[in-house]
Amino acid sequence: MTRRRGKKSKKTAHVMNPVNSESPPSQFVADEVDDELKKAKQELEAVQHKLDFQKLCNFTLANDHQKALTILELDKKLIEKQSEINSLTHQLDVEKLVSSRAKIQQDTQDLMLKLKILEDEEDQEAALKMEQETTESLRKRSNQLKEALKSNLKIKPWKDCQLCFQEFAINVDMVPRLLQCGHTICSACLRKLMKPTYTKCPFDGAVWRSSTTETVDDFPKNYKVFDM
Ligand SMILES: [Zn+2]
Ligand SMILES: [Zn+2]
């Protein structure tokens, strides 16, 4: 520094060589320039320092800005998630409502069906008719068994409809029909059993809903009875 300063002073002194008598002495000029240079250097340093500080501030600001952006992004994601959860919860509630409504409807239908069956069974006339029919078929069956015993025939009850005790056949009325519960009865008996909205198995009391358009032909044929 000292060396450079000395050199500079010399050079300045040479440049600023006085041309007239009013000019200040060369050493004075050199010192003045040196001071200005020092000041300028200081100012530069100050500016540099300020700039560095500003850079640091900017960096911090940028950093803060980035942080703020990240926070905003996270907030956005959080809100999206929350809204997704809300939507799902809502959907779940709706599904629950729909399913409970369906359950209530199902229960109501079941109750109405039970009520209908009770009403039908309370129908004295119908009950009496059914009883008479059963008595008649039992009488027939009794006669059949007597005949079978007399002629030493093998009795195969599965070959007969267990409601009317007539032998299954492929003719329209005696076609064996399989019920949903697994029992098999003839088409004629099934036709009598079928109510407009339901069918009830006479052997185990199983009930299943049927549409008004359903006929005996909608029940599967059970020709297995012929092979046994
Ligand atoms: Zn029958
Ligand atoms: Zn049954």
Side-chain angles (χ1 to χ4, degrees):
M1 193 72 186
T2 320
R3 189 185 58 83
R4 202 207 245 160
R5 198 183 147 194
K7 198 183 171 188
K8 256 187 188 164
S9 303
K10 230 200 239 166
K11 198 183 173 187
T12 314
H14 173 73
V15 170
M16 293 292 185
N17 211 19
V19 282
N20 55 54
S21 56
E22 279 169 15
S23 299
S26 60
Q27 189 53 50
F28 180 75
V29 173
D31 282 349
E32 207 177 35
V33 170
D34 203 33
D35 278 349
E36 271 173 31
L37 197 66
K38 254 199 253 172
K39 266 187 202 166
K41 267 186 183 175
Q42 276 170 1
E43 269 172 39
L44 187 70
E45 268 173 25
V47 167
Q48 189 64 52
H49 184 69
K50 219 174 180 179
L51 195 69
D52 285 348
F53 179 72
Q54 199 58 50
K55 267 187 191 167
L56 194 72
C57 284
N58 281 349
F59 175 75
T60 315
L61 272 174
N63 228 15
D64 283 350
H65 183 64
Q66 193 56 48
K67 269 186 204 161
L69 273 181
T70 310
I71 288 167
L72 272 177
E73 194 61 37
L74 285 172
D75 275 351
K76 199 181 145 204
K77 273 183 189 161
L78 201 71
I79 288 164
E80 277 171 4
K81 266 279 169 269
Q82 193 58 54
S83 132
E84 204 178 300
I85 287 166
N86 284 345
S87 157
L88 281 174
T89 311
H90 177 70
Q91 204 181 320
L92 206 68
D93 285 349
V94 169
E95 272 168 21
K96 268 188 202 160
L97 271 175
V98 167
S99 87
S100 78
R101 195 189 141 111
K103 174 99 175 58
I104 288 167
Q105 276 177 344
Q106 183 67 44
D107 288 352
T108 310
Q109 279 180 359
D110 285 350
L111 281 172
M112 278 167 73
L113 189 64
K114 276 179 188 162
L115 193 69
K116 183 86 182 69
I117 294 165
L118 280 174
E119 279 171 4
D120 284 355
E121 281 170 358
E122 273 175 11
D123 189 338
Q124 295 296 311
E125 204 183 328
L128 195 67
K129 195 169 172 251
M130 188 83 92
E131 221 166 278
Q132 282 170 345
E133 278 175 8
T134 311
T135 312
E136 177 62 19
S137 59
L138 279 172
R139 197 185 56 77
K140 274 187 197 164
R141 183 61 171 173
S142 171
N143 288 338
Q144 275 177 0
L145 288 174
K146 275 180 204 160
E147 287 299 314
L149 280 170
K150 265 188 218 164
S151 54
N152 225 0
L153 282 171
K154 269 194 174 177
I155 301 160
K156 291 182 175 176
W158 59 88
K159 296 260 187 199
D160 304 333
C161 168
Q162 291 301 296
L163 271 187
C164 62
F165 301 114
Q166 306 216 25
E167 199 176 342
F168 289 125
I170 52 166
N171 76 57
V172 182
D173 275 349
M174 289 318 293
V175 168
R177 297 282 177 181
L178 184 66
L179 306 183
Q180 282 188 22
C181 55
H183 285 111
T184 301
I185 57 172
C186 74
S187 292
C189 285
L190 177 58
R191 202 171 292 121
K192 283 183 216 164
L193 268 185
M194 285 178 78
K195 305 279 180 195
T197 52
Y198 67 92
T199 306
K200 185 180 177 183
C201 173
F203 305 114
D204 55 21
V207 176
W208 53 95
R209 216 172 266 114
S210 52
S211 74
T212 46
T213 54
E214 224 169 67
T215 69
V216 288
D217 292 323
D218 292 312
F219 288 78
K221 291 171 179 168
N222 187 10
Y223 283 164
K224 265 195 180 144
V225 296
F226 300 130
D227 304 327
M228 293 193 288

